[in-house]
Amino acid sequence: GLRPNMVDARDPETRRKVDIYQLYEEQCQREGVVDFGELMLRSYELLRDNDPIREHYQRRFRHILIDEFQDTNRLQYAWIKLLAGQGEAASPDTPPGAVLAVGDDDQSIYAFRGARVGNMADFVREFGVQHQIKLEQNYRSHSNILDSANALISHNAKRLGKNLRTDQGPGEPVRVHEATTDFAEAQWLVEEVRN
């Protein structure tokens, strides 16, 4: 969500990354191309910097549904706030939009590409969430699996929290298998399926 000249480069490694980012941005400009991140950033800047356009879309999209919310990044979250008319983007002429966010903070796996699971807790706080529905009933797994998952996940202090449960009964005991390689793990799994 930042242009190269907006990044605070306090160390040589960050400075080098900013230089590469600047060169990349200049190359894209010369070639007249944009990537997905640039599309998001330009959309954000347009909404942020142009009151009539932002207010038009805030009026047009009164109800916003976001699925897989745990996979949003900082820029996408800022974009949502602009569209919904939250915080600095609030307009006296347009009431804030209604936002429904669906996600599971325990299933956030895209941090490597910028996803920020903290957006979920920020959303609850910043949007003044009045109704939070936790889907805790599981219909696929047995309780031995869910109990193990609940025990492992409970160590994450920053999660919103839930307790998965099922009516499926205990099922088979959970077993842990440590393989020396990914190939050895695949072979073990094939043998388990055959058995």
Side-chain angles (χ1 to χ4, degrees):
L2 299 174
R3 295 285 174 200
N5 63 346
M6 298 168 70
V7 177
D8 186 19
R10 296 175 185 236
D11 58 81
E13 181 182 350
T14 305
R15 178 75 249 149
R16 181 72 181 133
K17 289 176 182 177
V18 169
D19 290 343
I20 292 169
Y21 180 20
Q22 181 66 49
L23 291 170
Y24 176 73
E25 192 172 71
E26 291 167 4
Q27 183 72 24
C28 289
Q29 277 286 9
R30 278 192 300 277
E31 295 184 21
V33 297
V34 295
D35 59 16
F36 181 73
E38 181 68 15
L39 287 172
M40 288 295 298
L41 184 52
R42 285 185 185 190
S43 299
Y44 172 75
E45 291 169 341
L46 180 66
L47 291 171
R48 179 196 66 199
D49 300 338
N50 191 309
D51 294 343
I53 290 176
R54 181 180 62 251
E55 290 169 7
H56 167 78
Y57 284 104
Q58 287 173 345
R59 282 189 304 275
R60 182 168 180 197
F61 299 113
R62 302 299 310 132
H63 299 86
I64 301 170
L65 168 64
I66 306 143
D67 195 14
E68 301 295 343
F69 192 71
Q70 76 275 3
D71 296 330
T72 58
N73 61 36
R74 285 185 191 274
L75 179 58
Q76 290 166 327
Y77 183 64
W79 200 79
I80 291 161
K81 286 170 51 173
L82 282 176
L83 270 181
Q86 293 289 329
E88 295 173 14
S91 167
D93 302 330
T94 308
V99 180
L100 173 65
V102 179
D104 184 346
D105 57 336
D106 293 330
Q107 292 189 30
S108 181
I109 60 171
Y110 291 108
F112 69 91
R113 67 169 175 81
R116 184 177 170 275
V117 71
N119 288 347
M120 293 184 73
D122 290 347
F123 177 76
V124 169
R125 182 176 33 78
E126 292 175 10
F127 279 70
V129 171
Q130 297 169 2
H131 303 289
Q132 189 176 24
I133 300 169
K134 296 181 182 185
L135 303 178
E136 299 175 309
Q137 179 71 34
N138 185 293
Y139 298 96
R140 292 184 290 193
S141 301
H142 289 88
S143 62
N144 284 338
I145 292 172
L146 297 180
D147 293 345
S148 298
N150 285 331
L152 287 171
I153 294 170
S154 69
H155 297 286
N156 182 354
K158 295 183 179 179
R159 63 193 288 260
L160 295 174
K162 64 183 165 301
N163 189 37
L164 300 174
R165 64 185 186 286
T166 185
D167 295 331
Q168 300 277 343
E172 292 184 36
V174 173
R175 295 180 290 149
V176 176
H177 175 79
E178 186 175 345
T180 55
T181 66
D182 55 350
F183 183 75
E185 181 181 0
Q187 278 189 303
W188 174 82
L189 186 58
V190 167
E191 288 303 316
E192 285 294 304
V193 171
R194 282 186 181 146
N195 290 336

